[in-house]
Amino acid sequence: MARDFSTVGVVGLGTMGAGIVEVFARNGIDVVAVEISEPALERGRATLAGSTDRAVAKGKLAAADRDALHERVHFAVGLDALHSVDLVIEAVPEHLDLKQRIFAELDRVCRPETILATNTSSLSVTEISVATSRPNQVIGIHFFNPAPVMKLVEVVRTVVTSPEVVADVEALCARLGKVDVTINDRAGFIANALLFGYLNHAVGMFEAHYATREDIDAAMKLGCGLPMGPLALMDLIGLDTAYEILDTMYRRGGRDRRHAPVPLLKQMVTAGLLGRKSGRGFYTYERPGSPVVVPDEATPLATEAVVADGARAITKVGVVGSGTMATGIIEVFAKAGYEVVSVTRGMEKSAKVCEAVKTSLNKGVVRGKLAEADRDAALGRISWSATLDHLADVDLVVEAVVEELSVKKALFASLDEICKPGVVLATTTSSLPVIDVAMATHRPADVVGLHFFNPAPVMPLVEVVRTIRTSPEATATARAVCATLGKTGVVCGDRSGFIVNALLFPYLNDAVKMLEASYSTADDIDHAMKLGCGYPMGPFELLDVVGLDVSLAIQRELYLELREPGFAPAPLLEHLVTAGYLGRKTRRGFRDHSHR
């Protein structure tokens, strides 16, 4: 039988601590909430009151339940108030010496059978536990912020944590309505180990002026469906907290260079630019603590103002290719009012593309998203061809043929001969260097990357890739076209993976390495990222959808270009691809999909 926890103690009543108090009190458990001083105690009391009042205002908590919740909480200054609780959770700042001092004192104050828990997100639970004479009763219980809302709890056992303590805490998590994943004591646990490498990489991208903060954040929200962009998330977490977590993970986690905090991060922390809590981080906020972003000197001009400067007029667009991407791009341009010339290899392929576009537009009509007249008008704007010569009078060409450099280069050499001067030539490549394609022409200044995401009619993001030879006019034209299509165009340099894949795939590769090391299961890792970070899909779900062969090819490209040891493809990923386990398309990847 699992132990019954009737009273718990919480040490530290900042945002996390006050949230943890609320979680226990909401679930009928008496709480002793402890701080170091009266002013700190009052701040904690105000945080709890503010959170529960908001829940009542939103209709998520009855006023009577709120009052009962508050009656279950006893506020006190000093650890001596915890002498008779069944469990203590510490939620003080992430400093090992501070946590060790508190645990030594808790060891003295609390009853011998009391479980002592830390909410640390990055420090070693083992190192905290040895400050006590009962390391077998010390465990990590890592809640996610905001604790009353987030479903995930990471239960972190050390090599000496007793199995009974682990079982009792798992049962408690179930009672609190949380989903727990139980793991060993390793730097960053699951969520932070996967999250912070990605966040640090995004800061490095910004530091290198590879893309603007707005474009990096928009790319990850719109391209991956994440709830927040990485730089906005850093501001929310707090740059000082993020620095501490990265620094700890770097020192504890095998000195992986990708966890070494980007120099800009240390500079910003030293300058007091800590994110939302200080009113300024990567973005500027209305006031300290406010979530409202206000314009500052780095805020870009509206797209209209930028594209008016040098953008060329585009009325007629050529799309070359017959695959899913080409079909989607034809539909997007035709619906936006452009004349479209679709060019494929042979009229048989043209007929198939035509049928696919019609089917997609008809679905839009059936779902009520498109009027029949608009469907007919869109179809009327498309002409079908099997020869590149019909692109002689277009203003923009979008290439969406197979991802092979030799094929694309041959195509661009032909387009160079056929198209009139001033035409913008765009490639939809997601992994090849755009400059290699551009140099197959005599007009590299007119060549850009326009990386649409699949399915093109649905996905709101386009990565606009400029090479070192792309002219400002060609970039402005590409951005103007994206705006006309109702898409968000994010501008970046011609580097492997651009923004989205360069940030996404190393994170997926890290998840595979975590599974490979038997640190956790695919299910628990997916749970951690969905429930702890709000990701729409876990990494293994996503890998199976994308295709393991596609993922491996992208990861290899990133590794070859950047030569970052941490980007080397996980051997497990290579083995699965070799075995023909490619994900959903072969009914077997990280999971078996044959019965679904």
Side-chain angles (χ1 to χ4, degrees):
M1 275 289 292
R3 178 189 320 207
D4 180 44
F5 295 96
S6 57
T7 312
V8 302
V10 178
V11 180
L13 303 178
T15 308
M16 275 311 300
I20 293 167
V21 169
E22 182 178 335
V23 169
F24 283 113
R26 265 185 187 240
N27 287 279
I29 298 171
D30 291 331
V31 185
V32 180
V34 170
E35 258 294 359
I36 197 167
S37 66
E38 280 293 344
L41 199 67
E42 283 311 307
R43 283 196 296 275
R45 198 192 299 266
T47 302
L48 178 63
S51 175
T52 53
D53 287 349
R54 279 194 301 276
V56 170
K58 289 176 180 172
K60 294 187 175 177
L61 188 68
D65 291 338
R66 172 197 58 195
D67 298 342
L69 183 159
H70 283 283
E71 282 174 18
R72 290 189 199 102
V73 184
H74 170 67
F75 289 91
V77 173
L79 299 177
D80 286 339
L82 301 169
H83 57 85
S84 61
V85 300
D86 304 312
L87 164 78
V88 180
I89 296 189
E90 157 279 309
V92 303
E94 289 282 88
H95 300 296
L96 183 61
D97 56 343
L98 171 62
K99 291 183 190 278
Q100 286 177 327
R101 281 202 307 276
I102 287 171
F103 271 72
E105 188 66 9
L106 289 172
D107 191 34
R108 183 187 64 77
V109 168
C110 296
R111 295 176 306 170
E113 63 272 21
T114 300
I115 294 173
L116 307 181
T118 172
N119 183 58
T120 184
S121 61
S122 62
L123 296 171
S124 165
V125 178
T126 308
E127 286 182 41
I128 293 168
S129 74
V130 296
T132 74
S133 62
R134 56 175 105 177
N136 60 318
Q137 281 175 235
V138 176
I139 194 166
I141 305 180
H142 178 219
F143 287 83
F144 286 72
N145 193 18
V149 176
M150 300 300 275
K151 281 282 190 192
L152 183 74
V153 176
E154 289 177 321
V155 176
V156 187
R157 60 183 170 220
T158 72
V159 288
V160 295
T161 306
S162 105
E164 292 77 24
V165 167
V166 175
D168 289 342
V169 168
E170 288 173 338
L172 176 62
C173 289
R175 180 179 168 188
L176 298 175
K178 301 293 186 186
V179 175
D180 72 272
V181 294
T182 301
I183 44 181
N184 296 326
D185 184 20
R186 191 178 106 171
F189 314 135
I190 297 175
N192 281 356
L194 295 179
L195 178 68
F196 275 85
Y198 149 72
L199 295 177
N200 201 39
H201 189 181
V203 176
M205 232 178 221
F206 175 69
E207 182 186 52
H209 302 289
Y210 178 66
T212 66
R213 61 189 181 183
E214 287 84 1
D215 281 358
I216 291 169
D217 280 356
M220 298 315 288
K221 281 169 67 181
L222 301 177
C224 298
L226 302 186
M228 292 182 85
L231 302 179
L233 181 55
M234 286 288 253
D235 277 358
L236 175 64
I237 291 166
L239 272 59
D240 50 345
T241 304
Y243 179 86
E244 290 293 337
I245 290 171
L246 280 164
D247 191 49
T248 303
M249 283 172 52
Y250 175 72
R251 286 185 283 104
R252 283 189 63 210
R255 300 192 177 268
D256 183 337
R257 230 171 40 194
R258 289 171 316 128
H259 292 145
V262 169
L264 176 64
L265 204 51
K266 182 67 182 288
Q267 293 161 22
M268 292 176 77
V269 171
T270 305
L273 307 176
L274 307 182
R276 281 193 194 182
K277 59 186 169 192
S278 68
R280 181 94 191 244
F282 289 103
Y283 296 91
T284 301
Y285 298 87
E286 207 169 40
R287 61 182 181 279
S290 167
V292 180
V293 175
V294 295
D296 57 23
E297 67 279 359
T299 303
L301 297 167
T303 301
E304 296 73 34
V306 175
V307 299
D309 182 23
R312 300 168 193 167
I314 304 289
T315 55
K316 195 169 185 180
V317 179
V319 180
V320 184
S322 56
T324 308
M325 279 311 298
T327 306
I329 292 165
I330 291 165
E331 180 184 334
V332 167
F333 276 102
K335 282 200 296 197
Y338 289 97
E339 271 190 81
V340 183
V341 181
S342 161
V343 179
T344 63
R345 286 181 309 179
M347 291 316 290
E348 197 177 310
K349 288 207 161 152
S350 279
K352 277 188 181 168
V353 175
C354 179
E355 207 49 48
V357 171
K358 279 181 184 168
T359 302
S360 181
L361 290 170
N362 284 335
K363 277 184 190 165
V365 173
V366 170
R367 289 174 184 160
K369 294 185 175 179
L370 191 67
E372 286 190 27
D374 292 335
R375 172 198 62 193
D376 297 340
L379 282 169
R381 284 190 279 268
I382 307 169
S383 57
W384 309 96
S385 169
T387 171
L388 292 174
D389 292 336
H390 288 145
L391 300 175
D393 64 340
V394 301
D395 308 307
L396 163 70
V397 179
V398 181
E399 163 277 309
V401 300
V402 65
E403 279 284 272
E404 283 181 26
L405 190 56
S406 59
V407 176
K408 290 186 190 285
K409 284 170 79 167
L411 172 61
F412 271 71
S414 299
L415 293 173
D416 189 29
E417 290 177 15
I418 293 164
C419 295
K420 64 189 181 187
V423 173
V424 174
L425 305 178
T427 171
T428 60
T429 184
S430 61
S431 59
L432 299 171
V434 178
I435 190 66
D436 280 4
V437 178
M439 295 310 289
T441 74
H442 293 97
R443 49 173 106 183
D446 292 331
V447 178
V448 296
L450 274 183
H451 178 218
F452 288 80
F453 286 72
N454 197 15
V458 177
M459 296 295 279
L461 184 73
V462 180
E463 289 175 318
V464 177
V465 186
R466 57 175 180 222
T467 75
I468 51 175
R469 295 288 296 268
T470 305
S471 70
E473 294 78 23
T475 305
T477 305
R479 288 193 64 190
V481 166
C482 291
T484 311
L485 296 175
K487 306 286 188 191
T488 298
V490 296
V491 180
C492 59
D494 181 22
R495 213 171 74 181
S496 187
F498 311 137
I499 299 174
V500 173
N501 286 352
L503 292 177
L504 174 65
F505 281 88
Y507 145 76
L508 296 175
N509 196 48
D510 284 346
V512 179
K513 289 178 181 175
M514 191 178 270
L515 178 68
E516 190 173 51
S518 301
Y519 179 62
S520 189
T521 65
D523 286 348
D524 278 357
I525 294 170
D526 278 357
H527 280 318
M529 298 316 291
K530 284 158 66 174
L531 302 177
C533 301
Y535 281 29
M537 297 176 91
F540 297 105
E541 277 180 273
L542 184 53
L543 281 160
D544 276 359
V545 168
V546 169
L548 275 58
D549 51 343
V550 174
S551 305
L552 178 60
I554 292 170
Q555 193 60 37
R556 279 180 177 155
E557 288 288 339
L558 289 169
Y559 179 54
L560 281 170
E561 180 163 330
L562 301 172
R563 305 298 168 101
E564 167 59 62
F567 285 179
L572 175 60
L573 184 59
E574 296 191 317
H575 295 167
L576 288 168
V577 171
T578 304
Y581 291 176
L582 308 183
R584 284 182 178 269
K585 59 189 171 189
T586 60
R587 298 188 169 274
R588 180 74 190 264
F590 284 98
R591 293 189 175 88
D592 184 346
H593 301 279
S594 55
H595 307 300
R596 297 182 188 189

